[in-house]
Amino acid sequence: MKEYYVSIDVGGTALKYGIIDEHAQIIKKDSVQTNTAGKGEGILEQIVKITEKEQENFKISGICVSTAGIVDCEKGKILYAGELIPGYTGTEIKKQMEERFQIPCAVENDVNCAGLAEVVSGAAVGRKSVVCLTVGTGIGGCVILDGEVYHGYGNCAGEVGYLYMDGSDFQTLGAGSIMSKKIAGKKNGRPEKWNGIKIFEYAKQGDEDCIRAIEEMTEVLGKGIASICYVLNPQMVVLGGGVMEQKEVLKPLIEKQIQKYLKPILLEKTEIAFAKHGNNAGILGAFYNFKKYYRKEKNKEARAFET
């Protein structure tokens, strides 16, 4: 019998979900606004309703969750979530879902899932050491070594947005949302009216403020990427997130800045790539994480039985 999985990507604004078959094919997908007002319970309720709805049409073999926040993957619990999703810290997604549906559930951080998606079937296939950065409202990061997410001692590896930089930090200076705020200040408008798409459109038309804002963002990104490379020396850096969809504009600018800050001995050994999976990265990565997690669990059980 064919196996199907419900895969859910929890963000601060949207909750995207889909049905994925055993061959990693996305059968259907949709999204709803994240119920941040309901805190952790509200988000859990959304995940429950989505799973119940999809069980009407598919025999669900597993629940795969990608989520914002710092995650304890073994417990499937949110260790920390910032103000973007208030009251989310401490939410036990895995425990609640497994008790409710009696089917396995795996939970992983959203940037880690995006990175896994690129390593398994995207821009970083075949690479042994990969850093994935997502640039949007903030800057998220993950490290993947030999196909496995490196979580660090306290599950906080890859939190590159907080890297100290020029009296501030990486994401405060280089995120896409900062670019919007700068332009809004110049144009006397609200930041939400100056999203990345509009800024790039105006830049292509020759707007000097927008051109300068993009150049300033790419300089910060170049400096931050170079700093990460000095520490980790990855084979590839993959750039994703909404802003990075402007690849044609950003690729030469970012590469120019990386050349400025990264020594040639490292530069010539570091590939820079743009993510391929786009909006599907979270739900695909959640599925890949689920399969990896339960493969390890089966191996543990097999070893325990042998001993």
Side-chain angles (χ1 to χ4, degrees):
M1 184 180 292
K2 200 167 186 179
E3 293 184 341
Y4 295 96
Y5 301 82
V6 60
S7 192
I8 298 166
D9 183 18
V10 180
T13 303
L15 190 152
K16 291 171 281 204
Y17 65 95
I19 296 296
I20 300 180
D21 71 13
E22 58 200 331
H23 304 296
Q25 297 300 308
I26 299 173
I27 306 301
K28 62 173 288 189
K29 60 180 181 177
D30 204 344
S31 67
V32 295
Q33 184 176 347
T34 306
N35 180 16
T36 54
K39 302 182 179 180
E41 289 302 314
I43 292 171
L44 269 174
E45 183 181 347
Q46 286 184 296
I47 297 173
V48 167
K49 285 183 177 179
I50 288 166
T51 305
E52 287 177 340
K53 175 185 172 185
E54 298 306 332
Q55 278 188 323
E56 294 174 5
N57 298 309
F58 300 93
K59 181 170 176 54
I60 302 299
S61 298
I63 303 165
C64 321
V65 180
S66 159
T67 179
I70 297 172
V71 178
D72 181 329
C73 296
E74 292 300 316
K75 294 181 179 179
K77 178 180 179 180
I78 307 300
L79 294 176
Y80 174 77
E83 295 179 2
L84 190 63
I85 309 181
Y88 195 37
T89 299
T91 304
E92 296 187 272
I93 299 174
K94 178 178 170 66
K95 179 183 177 184
Q96 296 285 341
M97 296 304 289
E98 290 184 342
E99 288 179 355
R100 177 69 175 258
F101 294 100
Q102 298 299 302
I103 54 177
C105 173
V107 186
E108 175 61 281
N109 167 267
D110 53 357
V111 183
N112 291 344
C113 285
L116 266 179
E118 295 301 325
V119 167
V120 174
S121 62
V125 170
R127 275 50 174 205
K128 295 292 186 181
S129 58
V130 178
V131 169
C132 182
L133 302 180
T134 58
V135 184
T137 306
I139 297 178
C142 74
V143 181
I144 301 180
L145 305 174
D146 293 322
E148 301 290 336
V149 174
Y150 175 69
H151 290 98
Y153 181 69
N155 292 291
C156 296
E159 293 290 336
V160 298
Y162 301 109
L163 282 174
Y164 180 81
M165 184 184 289
D166 298 336
S168 183
D169 61 45
F170 191 16
Q171 64 186 0
T172 299
L173 297 174
S177 58
I178 306 308
M179 186 172 60
S180 299
K181 288 177 182 177
K182 285 181 180 179
I183 295 300
K186 294 276 187 182
K187 307 292 189 186
N188 296 318
R190 295 198 300 273
E192 60 269 22
K193 288 195 171 183
W194 285 95
N195 59 30
I197 294 172
K198 188 173 181 180
I199 291 170
F200 280 92
E201 284 178 356
Y202 273 59
K204 289 171 185 175
Q205 294 168 17
D207 186 290
E208 291 185 4
D209 291 329
C210 292
I211 291 170
R212 192 175 303 110
I214 293 168
E215 289 175 343
E216 288 172 355
M217 180 186 72
T218 57
E219 179 166 13
V220 173
L221 291 174
K223 188 182 293 187
I225 291 166
S227 297
I228 293 164
C229 288
Y230 282 122
V231 176
L232 295 174
N233 186 203
Q235 185 177 358
M236 176 178 277
V237 177
V238 179
L239 302 174
V243 175
M244 291 301 136
E245 291 178 7
Q246 300 287 336
K247 176 182 175 180
E248 292 76 15
V249 175
L250 292 174
K251 189 174 190 294
L253 294 174
I254 292 172
E255 287 179 345
K256 178 183 175 182
Q257 293 299 333
I258 293 172
Q259 289 170 11
K260 180 176 167 183
Y261 291 107
L262 196 59
K263 299 293 183 185
I265 186 66
L266 275 168
L267 184 64
E268 65 186 20
K269 296 289 187 181
T270 307
E271 297 177 79
I272 305 297
F274 284 69
K276 289 187 176 179
H277 285 305
N279 284 331
N280 291 335
I283 58 176
L284 263 179
F287 168 76
Y288 292 140
N289 173 67
F290 179 96
K291 299 299 279 186
K292 280 178 173 289
Y293 180 85
Y294 282 101
R295 194 179 302 126
K296 288 178 190 173
E297 291 300 302
K298 285 181 180 178
N299 289 340
K300 284 180 189 176
E301 291 173 5
R303 287 195 297 269
F305 179 77
E306 288 171 2
T307 57

